[in-house]
Amino acid sequence: MVLILPAAAWRDRDGLDALTKVLGAVEGESRFVGGAVRDTLLGIDVADVDIATRLPPQEVIERLQDARIKAVPTGLAHGTITAVTPAGPVEVTTLRRDVSTDGRHAIIAYTDDWREDAARRDFTMNALYADPATGEIFDYFGGLDDLAARRVRFIGDPWQRIAEDHLRILRFFRFHARFGTTIDQAGLDACTVRANDLMALSRERVASEVLKLLVAANAVPVVALMVERGIFRAVLPEIDTEGAVRLGVLAKRETQAGIAADPIRRLAMTIAPAAAEAVGARLKLSNTDRKRLIAATAGPGTEGPQALAYRAGMTIALDRLLIAGDDVTAIKDRTPPVFPFSGGSLVERGLRKGPDVAAMLRRVETQWIAEGFPDAARVAVIADDMVADALA
């Protein structure tokens, strides 16, 4: 029985039809692949659109240029060209097969065989193709059945697939946390035994997968399972049983407060506060995220939620309040106020330029915060009184 891809908004994106025609979709040279097909079948909004093609990379570039579609060789060594359409970028990748792999990188060769291309992908649900012209779906490894069962299953032998790319261990759990209901036992057992292989990966790749995992729909039970199976031990031993429990607590607080899950906040809750600096450095997080990871567990402060949001910023304030278990209602969906006063106004009142002005400005600001952020007229009165006392 022929299964047709359901209608979806992404298929009407500006420039997509023109792109697929240029790439020979009508002649069977190119197909949609991966997440766009999978998510459409699941009724999920599609973010990125990927196209697999029999055309060699150079021919892809030439066809795009002839059609005046911008072509960016973002992954030319691996056969990937990014076509820039009016609706956004689309990755176009020539069909490939693996020649050799070392767990981190693969040497590939191009092929015109759709099944060979599907065979090198990680999970059956990610190896679904759809004809752009007819919508016909092509499934070479039982991905449709696994999708219906919400089961993340490796293509072929899980041990071999993990040996080809160790990151698939983390991807297995991330995809299960996002899509799965029944876990594939063979995949779980292989990931458990080969968990130490994660040590060979770059920390950036580990960080990317872990942060995506932490905000997946079923992150809480999946992280608990990963801790139980020792998956984190080689790369993030700081995530332990207690951390998995704390993650569940935070997830409930986020839901109750109507606040979206956030990966840095959840990581901060999952590890011990004392480990934040080391974990941030090991995962090579950005300086902003490292500072946030460290600050997230500093507590709600003593001045109240609005003062915390003003002093620390909304993001860190939400982190600290949610992790501490405090109410975020006072700052949710609000913008912290702007201090309606300046050092120049103090000079106009008779203070000499210099450190005294900065010190006085901080005093005025502190009083303004303590009074609940009154308007500029009240701040002027506060400043008048304080300057008068200082000059007396």
Side-chain angles (χ1 to χ4, degrees):
M1 183 180 71
V2 175
L3 184 64
I4 302 300
L5 190 69
W10 67 269
R11 297 184 66 185
D12 296 323
R13 290 181 183 177
D14 190 10
L16 188 58
D17 276 349
L19 173 63
T20 58
K21 288 177 182 177
V22 166
L23 295 174
V26 175
E27 296 77 26
E29 297 290 349
S30 299
R31 296 172 180 171
F32 298 126
V33 66
V37 180
R38 177 199 66 220
D39 292 354
T40 300
L41 291 170
L42 290 173
I44 299 172
D45 289 341
V46 169
D48 300 322
V49 177
D50 296 316
I51 293 176
T53 181
R54 286 173 165 170
L55 304 174
Q58 192 56 44
E59 184 173 348
V60 171
I61 292 174
E62 291 171 0
R63 288 194 180 204
L64 294 179
Q65 289 176 339
D66 289 345
R68 298 186 181 279
I69 298 173
K70 184 178 181 180
V72 182
T74 46
L76 191 57
H78 302 286
T80 299
I81 310 298
T82 298
V84 182
T85 73
V90 176
E91 286 197 350
V92 182
T93 303
T94 300
L95 303 188
R96 301 171 292 182
R97 61 181 176 84
D98 287 338
V99 174
S100 66
T101 59
D102 64 2
R104 293 178 297 173
H105 310 288
I107 297 175
I108 57 99
Y110 299 125
T111 180
D112 62 0
D113 188 321
W114 293 101
R115 187 182 179 87
E116 276 193 318
D117 184 74
R120 73 178 301 275
R121 296 177 184 270
D122 49 11
F123 310 118
T124 60
M125 64 171 58
N126 292 339
L128 298 171
Y129 301 75
D131 187 313
T134 67
E136 181 180 354
I137 293 174
F138 300 87
D139 176 17
Y140 300 98
F141 296 102
L144 291 172
D145 288 341
D146 287 328
L147 204 60
R150 293 298 187 107
R151 177 176 54 240
V152 179
R153 183 169 63 87
F154 285 102
I155 294 173
D157 180 8
W159 298 75
Q160 179 183 344
R161 307 326 305 278
I162 292 170
E164 292 167 352
D165 185 353
H166 306 324
L167 192 67
R168 286 172 175 163
I169 296 171
L170 294 178
R171 285 174 62 81
F172 175 80
F173 290 102
R174 175 166 71 86
F175 275 79
H176 180 63
R178 185 178 177 194
F179 302 114
T181 54
T182 302
I183 198 158
D184 180 67
Q185 194 63 45
L188 176 61
D189 291 342
C191 288
T192 301
V193 175
R194 300 305 301 265
N196 282 343
D197 290 349
L198 293 172
M199 294 176 65
L201 296 172
S202 72
R203 293 303 175 255
E204 292 92 341
R205 296 185 78 195
V206 171
S208 177
E209 285 298 321
V210 169
L211 293 177
K212 291 174 184 176
L213 164 67
L214 287 173
V215 294
N218 291 313
V220 173
V222 171
V223 167
L225 175 63
M226 293 172 74
V227 170
E228 177 188 328
R229 290 282 181 145
I231 304 300
F232 290 115
R233 196 172 296 134
V235 288
L236 274 174
E238 293 85 358
I239 299 180
D240 57 15
T241 302
E242 291 181 2
V245 172
R246 291 195 301 271
L247 176 63
V249 172
L250 175 60
K252 288 180 180 178
R253 291 172 183 168
E254 289 171 335
T255 300
Q256 290 168 352
I259 302 294
D262 182 275
I264 298 299
R265 181 192 307 132
R266 287 193 167 191
L267 179 61
M269 186 66 156
T270 307
I271 62 175
E277 187 169 357
V279 168
R282 189 185 320 134
L283 295 181
K284 297 188 176 180
L285 300 180
S286 67
N287 287 335
T288 298
D289 283 344
R290 289 189 201 187
K291 291 176 182 177
R292 185 179 164 199
L293 192 66
I294 294 168
T297 54
T302 59
E303 297 178 293
Q306 291 179 312
L308 179 61
Y310 173 76
R311 292 190 184 279
M314 184 63 71
T315 299
I316 291 178
L318 286 173
D319 291 345
R320 289 172 60 175
L321 291 170
L322 285 167
I323 287 175
D326 278 28
D327 188 8
V328 298
T329 305
I331 64 170
K332 180 186 171 186
D333 301 325
R334 296 185 184 181
T335 301
V338 176
F339 184 39
F341 205 71
S342 68
S345 297
L346 292 174
V347 173
E348 291 174 359
R349 284 167 168 76
L351 284 186
R352 292 183 179 181
K353 292 182 180 179
D356 288 346
V357 171
M360 181 62 72
L361 191 63
R362 285 194 295 271
R363 287 182 58 198
V364 175
E365 182 185 39
T366 298
Q367 185 62 31
W368 172 67
I369 293 171
E371 292 187 15
F373 308 100
D375 60 18
R378 172 56 187 159
V379 177
V381 172
I382 293 171
D384 287 341
D385 292 343
M386 289 188 175
V387 171
D389 288 343
L391 297 178

